[in-house]
Amino acid sequence: MPHFRFRAIDAQHVQAISTQLVDALQPLMNCPREDFTIEHIPSTFVFDGEVSQAYPFAEVFWFDRGQEVQDAVAVHITALVRQAVANDSQDVAVIFTALTPSAYYDNGEHY
């Protein structure tokens, strides 16, 4: 925990930013490095009956760390995705889902 899911971005780009992502966010999130999970999800976007292009989406599943940390995490993710796709004006969506520790289990034990 935390868990990052990326869509509408090439798997190679996610792989390329994975180390920098954890390097930047580990101290900010005060979380052990080995607790980070990064996932690439292939997806197809559809609009008005047609397959369409979408801009990169990053979903962050985590235990809430407050608005200030959340804002900083969103800025870091956005910058790294833009760097990976070599486009400083690329739209990037970052969506946070706060999890409840008592509803998150590792090996049958909740946090």
Side-chain angles (χ1 to χ4, degrees), residues 63 99-106 108-111:
F63 299 139
L99 303 174
T100 305
S102 63
Y104 187 96
Y105 288 76
D106 254 346
E109 299 288 327
H110 71 78
Y111 282 81

Side-chain angles (χ1 to χ4, degrees), residues 5-60:
R5 292 180 179 166
F6 289 89
R7 289 184 174 85
I9 181 173
D10 292 338
Q12 295 81 3
H13 289 137
V14 175
Q15 185 177 355
I17 66 172
S18 63
T19 300
Q20 289 176 288
L21 182 70
V22 176
D23 287 348
L25 300 183
Q26 180 192 8
L28 186 61
M29 298 174 94
N30 193 26
C31 181
R33 186 175 194 83
E34 60 273 7
D35 286 356
F36 282 77
T37 303
I38 301 170
E39 178 180 9
H40 173 263
I41 300 175
S43 55
T44 303
F45 289 82
V46 178
F47 181 75
D48 279 343
E50 302 289 331
V51 172
S52 66
Q53 293 294 332
Y55 52 86
F57 277 76
E59 294 178 287
V60 181

Side-chain angles (χ1 to χ4, degrees), residues 83-102:
Q83 174 187 324
V85 300
N87 181 348
D88 290 338
S89 61
Q90 173 66 60
D91 287 331
V92 179
V94 181
I95 303 165
F96 291 84
T97 300
L99 303 174
T100 305
S102 63

